C-alpha cells in the first residue's frame, strides 16, 4: 500500500466540555490527527470515510463526539502533517497555537487556513475492521477556497509535493 499515492488530511474534533450541562464550562481540547485513509463514499447523500487506528486518541474521541472535520492539506502544509502524526503527545493545544485556523460552524472543530478544502461531518456509521475503525460521515459543510497551491501527497513513506 505504500505504493498507492494518497492525499493527506488533518482530521480534527473537539473534546466534549468536562461538564456538558454547564454552558459556562471551558471548551474541550481541540484534537488533530494526520491521515491518508480518507475517501469519498457517496454523492447522494454526501458521505466520506476515514479509517482510524483502534485505540488511537481520535478513534476514542469520535466514539463519543459525532461531529468532526477534515482539512485537505496543501503542499506547503507538510509541517502540519508532521506534527499531528507524532505518537504519544500529551496535548494538542500547543500544536494548534501557530496553525492558522477557524472553527467550523457545525462541529466547532478547527478548520486549517490555507487548506485545499475543508469538510465538516457527522458520523453515520462506525464499522470495526481489524485493528481500525472505519468511520463513515455525512458531509454537513464543505469549502474549497481559491488557491493555486498543489496537494500534499504521501508515497513510499515520504511526503511529496505534487507540482
Ligand atoms: C502520512 C501519515 C498518514 C497516516 N494516516 C493515518 C490514517 O489514515 N489513520 C490513522 O489512524 N492513523 C494514521 N496515521 C497515524 C496517526 O497520524 C498517528 O498515529 C497519530 O497522530 C498518533 O496519535 P495516537 O498516539 O493516538 O496514535 C498516519 C500517519 C502518517 C505520518
Amino acid at each position: 500500500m505504500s505504493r498507492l499515492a494518497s492525499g493527506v488530511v488533518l482530521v480534527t474534533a473537539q473534546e466534549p466540555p468536562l461538564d456538558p450541562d454547564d454552558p459556562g464550562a471551558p471548551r474541550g481540547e481541540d484534537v488533530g490527527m494526520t491521515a491518508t485513509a480518507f475517501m469519498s463514499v457517496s454523492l447522494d447523500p454526501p458521505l466520506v470515510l476515514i479509517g482510524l487506528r483502534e485505540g488511537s486518541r481520535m478513534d476514542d474521541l469520535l466514539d463519543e463526539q459525532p461531529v468532526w472535520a477534515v482539512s485537505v492539506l496543501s503542499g506547503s502544509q507538510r509541517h502540519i502533517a508532521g506534527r499531528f502524526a507524532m505518537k504519544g503527545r500529551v496535548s494538542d493545544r500547543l500544536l494548534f497555537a501557530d496553525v492558522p485556523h477557524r472553527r467550523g460552524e457545525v462541529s466547532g472543530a478547527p478548520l486549517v487556513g490555507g487548506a485545499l478544502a475543508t469538510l465538516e461531518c457527522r458520523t453515520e456509521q462506525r464499522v470495526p475492521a481489524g485493528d481500525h475503525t472505519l468511520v463513515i460521515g455525512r458531509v454537513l459543510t464543505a469549502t474549497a477556497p481559491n488557491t493555486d497551491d498543489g496537494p500534499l501527497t504521501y508515497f513510499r513513506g515520504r511526503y511529496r509535493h505534487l507540482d
Side-chain angles (χ1 to χ4, degrees), residues 54-65:
E54 200 179 68
S56 62
R57 190 167 177 207
M58 191 56 76
D59 183 39
D60 290 346
L61 175 53
L62 295 199
D63 200 17
E64 50 176 333
Q65 169 60 277

Side-chain angles (χ1 to χ4, degrees), residues 59-140:
D59 183 39
D60 290 346
L61 175 53
L62 295 199
D63 200 17
E64 50 176 333
Q65 169 60 277
V67 283
W68 40 281
V70 170
S71 299
V72 179
L73 298 181
S74 74
S76 59
Q77 294 179 320
R78 181 189 297 220
H79 60 291
I80 299 177
R83 71 168 64 171
F84 286 98
M86 289 181 304
K87 272 193 179 293
R89 51 190 198 268
V90 179
S91 160
D92 279 11
R93 200 179 295 275
L94 286 174
L95 299 186
F96 277 110
D98 66 346
V99 173
H101 63 273
R102 65 181 178 86
R103 258 169 220 295
E105 60 200 67
V106 180
S107 62
L111 303 175
V112 177
L116 296 186
T118 65
L119 303 173
E120 290 181 278
C121 307
R122 178 180 296 278
T123 299
E124 293 239 325
Q125 240 181 299
R126 286 173 61 87
V127 183
D131 58 8
H132 276 60
T133 307
L134 307 180
V135 181
I136 297 174
R138 181 182 288 244
V139 179
L140 305 175

Side-chain angles (χ1 to χ4, degrees), residues 33-37 51-53 56-57 84-85 87-89 154 159:
M33 193 196 84
T34 302
T36 49
L52 301 175
R53 187 175 57 76
S56 62
R57 190 167 177 207
F84 286 98
K87 272 193 179 293
R89 51 190 198 268
Y154 196 71
Y159 292 109

